[in-house]
Amino acid sequence: DQQVKQNSPSLSVQEGRISILNCDYTNSMFDYFLWYKKYPAEGPTFLISISSIKDKNEDGRFTVFLNKSAKHLSLHIVPSQPGDSAVYFCAASGAGNMLTFGGGTRLMVKP
Amino acid sequence: SAVISQKPSRDICQRGTSLTIQCQVDSQVTMMFWYRQQPGQSLTLIATANQGSEATYESGFVIDKFPISRPNLTFSTLTVSNMSPEDSSIYLCSVEVDRAADTQYFGPGTRLTVL
């Protein structure tokens, strides 16, 4: 059973608009959450993270929101740019720092 | 989706020894990947393993150090050879299920500690 799920395999957004990528998890022991970005033929690279003691973390155009009661996190990108087109993975970790990944969401930002 | 298991989940090894990590998938997949996550760092792709062909290694990784087998469409192994403490890391395999979507599913990882 997948403990981290990204239910939307793809998302298409117009340039300049907001992109919202969602992620749900089931394990209440997760206390640290990360978003990775992956371009074709490359490995995922770290984008932004959030600790479970926070509900929001912002870094430039990227903001991650955490709703612990709903076991839900989201990544907001605003404004979206064509260079943001990639696959985005959310990941969660708990004790032991092992990462559990979602299946990824492919974001396409149209010029 | 795909369900991926890895063995062992963790191990503590002595310097100079080798460890083979197994990755099993519940469905047939063409592309499998091996990653390393060192403490405090992001994921690093070690190699891509396609069934029926030699693994393709990323810059900084060589076959003598990280030999990979891919005997069929549901299984792969990664060996960490002649280990040193610098090899202490979490090793993850992942599979590409839908090439069009370019999404991947990751295994639970193997935590390796080299003394």
Side-chain angles (χ1 to χ4, degrees), chain A residues 2 9 36 38-46 87 89 96-99 101-106, chain B residues 1 9-10 35 37 41-43 45 58 90 92 100-111:
Chain A
Q2 279 191 284
Y36 284 82
K38 179 188 175 300
Y39 290 115
E42 296 180 12
T45 56
F46 171 75
V87 177
F89 293 94
N97 295 321
M98 300 280 278
L99 287 177
F101 283 85
T105 297
R106 185 180 196 182
Chain B
S1 67
S9 59
R10 60 182 61 225
Y35 291 88
Q37 187 201 10
Q41 298 185 24
S42 186
L43 289 179
L45 180 63
E58 298 300 305
I90 296 173
L92 298 105
D102 195 25
T103 53
Q104 293 179 236
Y105 288 88
F106 287 81
T110 296
R111 178 184 291 278

Side-chain angles (χ1 to χ4, degrees), chain B residues 68-80:
Chain B
I68 288 172
S69 78
R70 184 77 202 275
N72 56 53
L73 291 173
T74 63
F75 187 78
S76 177
T77 67
L78 170 76
T79 299
V80 186

